[in-house]
Amino acid sequence: MSTTLIRGAKLLGGEPTDVLIDGETVAAVGAGLTAPEGSTVVEAEGLVALPGLVDLHTHLREPGREDSETVLTGTRAAAVGGYTAVHAMANTFPVADTAGVVEQVWRLGRESGYCDVQPVGAVTVGLEGNKLAELGAMAESAAAVRVFSDDGKCVDDAVIMRRALEYVKAFDGVVAQHAQEPRLTEGAQMNEGAVSGELGLRGWPAVAEESIIARDVLLAAHVGSRVHICHLSTAGSVEIVRWAKSKGWNVTAEVTPHHLLLTDELVRTYNPVYKVNPPLRTEADVMALREALADGTIDCVATDHAPHPHEDKDCEWGAAAMGMVGLETALAVVQHTMVDTGLLDWAGVADRMSLRPAAIGRLAGHGRPVAAGEPANLTLVDPAYRGVVNPAGFASRSRNTPYEGLELPGRVTATFLRGKATVMDGKLT
Amino acid sequence: MKRHLISAADLTRDDALLVLDTAEEMARVADRPIKKLPTLRGRTVVNLFFEDSTRTRISFEAAAKRLSADVINFSAKGSSVSKGESLKDTALTLEAMGADAVVIRHHASGAPHRLATSGWIGGSVVNAGDGTHEHPTQALLDAFTMRRHLAGAPDGGPTFHRGPGDGTGRDLEGRRITIVGDVLHSRVARSNVALLGTLGAHVTLVAPPTLLPIGVESWPCEVSYDLDAVLAKSDAVMMLRVQSERMNAAFFPTEREYARRYGLDGARMAALPEHAIVMHPGPMNRGMEITAEVADSGRCTVVEQVANGVSVRMAVLYLLLGGNEPAVATATPRTEETKQA
């Protein structure tokens, strides 16, 4: 078995320390460790060591839209971003609503070797919201699905949502809700507010998100199950989740990097790279989301990495697809919005981007402390780095980033998946 | 003037007055036996219409032809995606054909902006109506019409014309304009609010609350739900068309209730000041937002607006494509800024 000694890394941003990896496991953590004969030595002075990042919300597009991303390219992008595990959303073609499809995605992830892929199962057959998919079969499959979501669509029928929440209790599952009341958002193009009124783009009101969240936290409490809210985007949603948590209900929530940084003012350019679901909101929403991520009301950062081929964005706003890629820029945006602003320290980043998402997904072997005996899933970050985002260099097959040309801090210099470097010196191995 | 006309909000007061004054010059051409100028000879104007709009298209066509431009009508009804060709490929096609100006009507808000900023084409882009965003030439022709009736004497005095006059050099300072109807979905209303504000007018929007956009309180205008309360204080009332697809989407209970609460009939017209005019961008829904009595009255400028539309669009095309010679023998000299455009 190979050994690797990481020398002088600031563990969770603390004092410099050494980390010795033996095979797939962390063998020792402490100052002044000696590298055994034949070890790879990684000089990590000035770098921050984090547990490998975990994404609860990734669109890998395979099967069906391999023109925008495959499991291989998506997991390579994830490794570049410092991730060691991603949850692959179910809205593929065919939809991941059977044991067969989730096992296929799970197997493709294992073959890729860059990042663990944990499939998310659809809540309803074909994401159509009418009939429960075989949740138990997916839970018992080799993929051992625990997170179920119709993401991209809302489970808007209250009875179906109630039954799903109840049913997944049998295998400790969680329903991850894409909160979007469909009638209030028919044809919606952007956040409904002053900017949508001026631009003449059909509005997507905050209440369409908040009303579903309010209903679902009440349903989860009523049936004693747990619900996870995908990509929270409004200040009002934060208030509802905060209230639900104050009641002791089993509610968790995520926020995307782009909702921590970008606002609907960008839509004035009519550049579809800013078109996303849920839409970019206002400055006040952005500030509320940052605060909620800092105080733990929002449990985790999830990328909602949504690759689209160039032609689906190289068009007029109304015809463009919704979504942004995010795996390769997530940590930089979080450093920029949360760490460099003093809202969160690196231990907090580890909690919100690794420990908590792994816990919500019931993902074994990820989101563990960096300590002897734990799986060697690690990310090294250079927080002093400053760089301009250049999508031409992305590992993802798609380029639809809203950050092109923007200077962001931080860079993942190395990622270790069970002791094997998937990224070294900032490059895929 | 900039190279493109995308939004009425992009026009400064000087830009707007330049267009309106140039349009007065153009209007005089319409009174000649031969209504044609050689100004844009050899230039190509493409009317790229993704939505049906016979009125706007023939207005632009007439304007371009009176300036001797070659006109190509490109009708691409339906969404570019469902049609199979993207806006980009359509634009590249037109560019390859040597379009000097593209007049675009599109169902998607922002499509002209995208066309102008994407690098797909080199010519000027004129927004002929995009989704529910803007329709700047409509606002210009409306302002032109208002100015002729309401702008007052050349010395700035409060005289109102009883018929169309020449408004050259004047703005709409202090004039009270009421715009009534489906503001939420109206590109005409958005462009008018922007332009009329630039020209110094006071705008009041009147609509049921369901047909006003969220955030309208931040617009540079007043808002009222009560038409009768504002009529006596209006120098012009602009009635917006209520699209038939709004009728069954719970924006208001019934057509009859809408007509009762927000339609302009003879009794309401009588409540207007004597000098006030009634405007409509057309096509009218007689009996809905406007009764036949009002539509056919001498105070209704709807036909005049159509004629003015040609003059204003001539002015826009002339200023954007600018020949080196004056538009007409006595035309206003072009500014340095215009030359750069």
Side-chain angles (χ1 to χ4, degrees):
Chain A
M1 295 295 275
S2 67
T3 53
T4 303
L5 180 67
I6 299 168
R7 197 135 60 189
K10 292 187 276 187
L11 186 56
L12 308 185
E15 289 305 306
T17 187
D18 300 345
V19 180
L20 182 66
I21 299 170
D22 185 8
E24 298 191 349
T25 314
V26 175
V29 177
L33 297 182
T34 314
E37 189 92 2
S39 294
T40 307
V41 176
V42 178
E43 296 296 345
E45 192 185 341
L47 306 184
V48 172
L50 301 173
L53 306 184
V54 175
D55 193 12
L56 261 182
H57 195 142
T58 312
H59 296 277
L60 292 178
R61 301 296 189 218
E62 189 177 6
R65 286 307 300 266
E66 292 82 355
D67 57 330
S68 51
E69 198 80 286
T70 64
V71 171
L72 179 61
T73 61
T75 52
R76 285 166 66 91
V80 168
Y83 288 89
T84 53
V86 297
H87 287 74
M89 274 298 171
N91 62 340
T92 48
F93 304 94
V95 171
D97 58 1
T98 61
V101 178
V102 294
E103 285 193 354
Q104 180 197 1
V105 172
W106 174 76
R107 186 174 45 74
L108 287 167
R110 283 174 54 108
E111 288 168 2
S112 95
Y114 284 95
C115 175
D116 285 350
V117 174
Q118 177 54 54
V120 173
V123 177
T124 65
V125 174
L127 308 176
E128 285 174 358
N130 302 318
K131 192 170 177 297
L132 286 184
E134 289 194 352
L135 308 178
M138 291 188 274
E140 286 172 11
S141 73
V145 175
R146 290 296 176 270
V147 182
F148 298 90
S149 182
D150 277 1
D151 180 64
K153 288 186 177 176
C154 181
V155 182
D156 66 305
D157 184 307
V159 172
I160 297 283
M161 187 62 183
R162 174 199 169 141
R163 299 289 180 237
L165 286 166
E166 288 178 304
Y167 195 79
V168 299
K169 289 201 291 180
F171 33 83
D172 195 24
V174 63
V175 178
Q177 175 68 293
H178 172 117
Q180 179 189 351
E181 210 290 317
R183 282 279 284 152
L184 283 170
T185 52
E186 276 173 15
Q189 296 288 320
M190 68 170 295
N191 178 49
E192 181 164 14
V195 181
S196 66
E198 280 179 50
L199 296 184
L201 288 171
R202 196 174 298 182
W204 191 309
V207 62
E209 175 173 312
E210 293 155 2
S211 59
I212 294 292
I213 296 175
R215 182 199 74 180
D216 289 353
V217 299
L218 291 165
L219 280 176
H222 180 61
V223 304
S225 187
R226 60 189 184 112
V227 67
H228 176 74
I229 311 299
C230 295
H231 41 52
L232 226 74
S233 73
T234 77
S237 298
V238 167
E239 285 309 306
I240 295 163
V241 170
R242 190 171 278 141
W243 170 74
K245 287 190 166 189
S246 76
K247 294 279 193 183
W249 299 342
N250 215 334
V251 176
T252 56
E254 70 189 32
V255 62
T256 71
H258 46 271
H259 288 110
L260 291 172
L261 180 59
L262 310 177
T263 72
D264 65 351
E265 289 291 329
L266 290 163
V267 183
R268 291 185 188 280
T269 64
Y270 285 108
N271 185 342
V273 78
Y274 301 116
K275 186 171 176 181
V276 66
N277 175 353
L280 301 178
R281 305 287 188 179
T282 68
E283 186 74 17
D285 294 306
V286 167
M287 291 307 153
L289 293 167
R290 289 183 187 183
E291 190 190 325
L293 182 64
D295 72 19
T297 301
I298 295 175
D299 299 83
C300 62
V301 175
T303 64
D304 197 6
H305 177 80
H308 289 292
H310 183 63
E311 60 271 23
D312 286 356
K313 290 287 190 180
D314 195 24
C315 55
E316 63 274 23
W317 182 277
M322 297 184 195
M324 304 169 167
V325 292
L327 285 169
E328 293 172 73
T329 48
L331 191 57
V333 173
V334 170
Q335 184 186 334
H336 178 59
T337 57
M338 302 298 296
V339 180
D340 292 355
T341 54
L343 288 167
L344 209 58
D345 58 15
W346 286 105
V349 172
D351 183 65
R352 307 299 194 275
M353 296 186 78
S354 179
L355 274 61
R356 289 222 228 174
I360 293 165
R362 300 291 193 255
L363 200 56
H366 289 277
R368 302 293 305 164
V370 180
E374 295 288 350
N377 295 318
L378 286 174
T379 298
L380 296 179
V381 190
D382 177 4
Y385 179 87
R386 293 283 179 285
V388 173
V389 177
N390 176 14
F394 280 178
S396 169
R397 180 163 283 184
S398 290
R399 302 280 177 265
N400 51 301
T401 174
Y403 311 117
E404 180 171 7
L406 187 71
E407 188 183 279
L408 287 174
R411 174 173 182 251
V412 172
T413 60
T415 308
F416 295 90
L417 176 63
R418 280 184 292 281
K420 178 179 172 288
T422 54
V423 171
M424 187 57 77
D425 300 324
K427 295 185 179 63
L428 287 161
T429 58
Chain B
M1 290 278 289
K2 300 183 174 183
R3 186 156 65 94
H4 309 290
L5 179 60
I6 305 299
S7 163
D10 294 339
L11 296 170
T12 64
R13 180 178 176 280
D14 285 349
D15 288 337
L17 289 182
L18 177 63
V19 174
L20 298 181
D21 291 349
T22 307
E24 287 287 2
E25 304 280 347
M26 298 297 179
R28 274 174 224 132
V29 175
D31 297 333
R32 295 180 182 176
I34 297 171
K35 302 176 172 49
K36 198 147 174 151
L37 296 170
T39 319
L40 295 184
R41 193 157 48 203
R43 314 298 293 276
T44 301
V45 174
V46 175
N47 288 321
L48 177 58
F49 276 58
F50 289 86
E51 259 185 3
D52 281 336
S53 173
T54 309
R55 296 163 154 263
T56 303
R57 185 182 57 73
I58 63 175
S59 180
F60 271 104
E61 186 172 350
K65 284 180 170 169
R66 283 186 192 172
L67 293 169
S68 304
D70 294 320
V71 180
I72 298 173
N73 288 314
F74 190 118
S75 174
K77 197 186 158 198
S79 109
S80 60
V81 169
S82 69
K83 186 170 159 286
E85 183 175 62
S86 68
L87 178 62
K88 178 180 181 174
D89 286 325
T90 304
L92 294 175
T93 301
L94 300 179
E95 176 72 356
M97 289 177 181
D100 295 296
V102 175
V103 176
I104 178 174
R105 161 69 62 98
H106 202 286
H107 47 82
S109 299
H113 180 97
R114 196 84 178 114
L115 198 59
T117 56
S118 59
W120 298 332
I121 58 168
S124 292
V125 176
V126 180
N127 181 1
D130 62 328
T132 55
H133 178 223
E134 285 234 31
H135 193 356
T137 58
Q138 177 72 43
L140 285 163
L141 77 88
D142 289 337
F144 183 88
T145 305
M146 289 176 209
R147 196 169 79 149
R148 284 189 151 194
H149 285 271
L150 307 175
D155 63 4
T159 309
F160 294 96
H161 295 275
R162 287 300 296 161
D166 187 326
T168 299
R170 284 170 284 157
D171 61 15
L172 292 166
E173 189 63 42
R175 298 296 174 258
R176 300 159 302 175
I177 314 299
T178 300
I179 301 175
V180 187
D182 183 2
V183 176
L184 178 62
H185 301 96
S186 177
R187 50 195 173 209
V188 175
R190 279 174 182 74
S191 287
N192 264 292
V193 168
L195 183 66
L196 291 170
T198 301
L199 292 173
H202 298 304
V203 178
T204 302
L205 300 174
V206 179
T210 46
L211 290 175
L212 289 165
I214 295 286
V216 72
E217 61 281 356
S218 66
W219 291 16
C221 60
E222 304 286 314
V223 174
S224 171
Y225 306 139
D226 183 354
L227 179 57
D228 292 309
V230 300
L231 287 173
K233 297 176 285 184
S234 302
D235 297 317
V237 179
M238 183 185 301
M239 305 306 295
L240 300 173
R241 175 179 170 80
V242 179
Q243 302 281 353
S244 57
E245 61 261 35
R246 314 293 170 225
M247 313 252 181
N248 298 312
F251 287 106
F252 44 84
T254 63
E255 291 172 48
R256 293 321 311 155
E257 172 152 323
Y258 182 89
R260 279 195 301 272
R261 290 177 65 83
Y262 296 99
L264 191 64
D265 59 11
R268 285 194 168 121
M269 185 167 67
L272 290 167
E274 197 189 344
H275 65 267
I277 55 171
V278 175
M279 307 179 72
H280 195 296
M284 294 184 284
N285 288 314
R286 287 172 180 251
M288 180 69 179
E289 70 269 4
I290 191 166
T291 64
E293 179 189 358
V294 177
D296 295 332
S297 80
R299 306 173 74 167
C300 181
T301 60
V302 64
V303 176
E304 200 185 317
Q305 286 168 265
V306 174
N308 293 343
V310 177
S311 303
V312 161
R313 286 165 181 136
M314 287 173 77
V316 167
L317 291 172
Y318 166 71
L319 291 168
L320 292 179
L321 293 181
N324 286 324
E325 65 278 20
V328 281
T330 56
T332 318
R334 295 189 306 124
T335 64
E336 198 55 37
E337 201 182 356
T338 314
K339 279 178 198 154
Q340 284 164 1

